[in-house]
Amino acid sequence: MSLPSVTGLDHYIIRVNDLESATKQYQKLGFSLAPQGRHHTGTRNQTLVLDSNYLELLYFPAELRATSRFKHYPEQYEGPVAVALQTTDSAAVQRELASVGIKTEALVSGGRPVHLAHGAEDAAWLNLNFPQGVFGVPDYFTCGHQTRHLVFRPEWQEHQNTARRIKTLVAVHPDPRSLREKYQQAFGAISIGAANEQGWLLRRDSLRVQFLTPAAFAARYPGIRIPAGLDDAWFAGSVIEVRDLATARQVLEANAVPFREGPDNEIVVDPAHTAGALQVFIQEDQS
């Protein structure tokens, strides 16, 4: 198996231009909040922590945008920008990428205070950024938590909408089949689903990325358009499993969040109400 040190999905990043406004949107969706964080580098974030993975709303102050890894996005863009892969050893992933011909830059250490009832403790991590665009879409990095217990805490994992986990990420590409060889090289053939005219599915443990053509995406999620300033390759958002879909629906109705019923008994919330990220809620798979 290629990249054996990648063990699933840790989280994904949604870049926002107004952290407080984006946070309120996700509260209306029925998510509980961990305490807002401020990284040692100056960025600020809000995490929505689920059972085994999470969503991160990330804000860059104006003075940091020019040096941000995401500076190639349009200034006004809000929405998904990168996927954090789960690992216990970012250095091992770096070696594994090198073995398949993918060179990376130095590992990146980081941290931020986490405010708990008894006081603040410092969360720390050692990450590895994959080369931008190496897999077409999305962009990836590893998140090597060194203090995982400060992130995945029970008091932040119970949500009014009964969210359990991010089941699938959704990516749009004009020719998804053209990405398969590079993904297969890195993740192994067993992780790469069969392709058809609509797209294909990457699956590695808890990491699932559904690649769709623009036409297939438009058919599946009508009315949702690629954000202004982006080309036709787009990391759109996520499908989230909930324990009780009826409860999630009631929360959205009570908070006046517009949504529509999608195929296969799912609830689709437009990116206009979710800081630019498509959010789809589905019933937890009990199998």
Side-chain angles (χ1 to χ4, degrees):
M1 180 175 68
S2 301
L3 294 184
S5 298
V6 170
T7 55
L9 171 66
D10 191 84
H11 66 281
Y12 78 98
I13 293 176
I14 301 169
R15 194 183 82 168
V16 302
N17 295 324
D18 184 329
L19 186 58
E20 282 65 35
S21 175
T23 295
K24 289 178 181 177
Q25 285 186 318
Y26 277 82
Q27 284 181 299
K28 287 185 176 181
L29 296 181
F31 287 100
S32 300
L33 306 176
Q36 191 177 113
R38 183 181 294 274
H39 299 109
H40 297 320
T41 56
T43 53
R44 292 189 289 127
N45 78 337
Q46 179 65 67
T47 55
L48 311 163
V49 184
L50 308 180
D51 288 5
S52 59
N53 49 38
Y54 63 97
L55 300 85
E56 178 180 5
L57 308 177
L58 182 62
Y59 170 75
F60 286 84
E63 64 273 16
L64 297 179
R65 292 187 180 183
T67 57
S68 161
R69 186 183 176 203
F70 312 120
K71 61 182 180 293
H72 59 286
Y73 282 90
E75 180 73 14
Q76 73 279 9
Y77 174 76
E78 287 192 305
V81 289
V83 175
L85 301 174
Q86 185 182 76
T87 187
T88 58
D89 192 342
S90 289
V93 177
Q94 185 176 46
R95 293 191 295 270
E96 291 157 9
L97 285 173
S99 73
V100 295
I102 299 175
K103 295 183 179 180
T104 57
E105 297 181 356
L107 300 175
V108 180
S109 60
R112 66 177 177 88
V114 177
H115 299 282
L116 305 171
H118 60 268
E121 295 188 47
D122 236 26
W125 53 82
L126 186 64
N127 294 355
L128 175 69
N129 292 329
F130 288 25
Q132 183 182 319
V134 67
F135 295 115
V137 63
D139 278 327
Y140 297 93
F141 65 99
T142 62
C143 186
H145 290 287
Q146 297 177 319
T147 52
R148 187 177 174 85
H149 65 286
L150 296 179
V151 177
F152 290 91
R153 300 186 63 84
E155 63 265 36
W156 304 332
Q157 291 174 301
E158 290 297 321
H159 302 273
Q160 189 181 13
N161 61 18
T162 73
R164 176 175 178 257
R165 64 166 179 159
I166 301 166
K167 181 177 182 179
T168 309
L169 303 175
V170 180
V172 183
H173 192 275
D175 185 10
R177 296 188 193 202
S178 69
L179 305 178
R180 293 179 76 249
E181 183 177 353
K182 195 74 172 181
Y183 273 95
Q184 183 170 314
Q185 177 190 25
F187 289 91
I190 195 171
S191 298
I192 310 302
N196 57 34
E197 65 278 4
Q198 294 184 328
W200 59 277
L201 178 69
L202 168 70
R203 184 170 182 173
R204 164 65 66 81
D205 298 313
S206 63
L207 172 68
R208 295 183 183 183
V209 185
Q210 179 69 64
F211 295 93
L212 296 171
T213 66
F217 180 83
R220 178 82 184 185
Y221 305 112
I224 297 176
R225 299 182 178 181
I226 295 177
L230 299 190
D231 59 22
D232 49 3
W234 175 40
F235 175 20
S238 59
V239 177
I240 297 174
E241 276 191 340
V242 299
R243 291 179 172 83
D244 189 335
L245 192 63
T247 297
R249 184 180 291 106
Q250 290 168 4
V251 170
L252 295 176
E253 290 173 343
N255 292 331
V257 177
F259 65 89
R260 68 172 181 81
E261 303 287 346
D264 302 325
N265 192 30
E266 62 188 22
I267 296 171
V268 180
V269 185
D270 189 282
H273 307 287
T274 58
L278 170 72
Q279 299 298 355
V280 181
F281 298 97
I282 63 170
Q283 181 64 47
E284 177 182 14
D285 185 358
Q286 299 289 344
S287 61

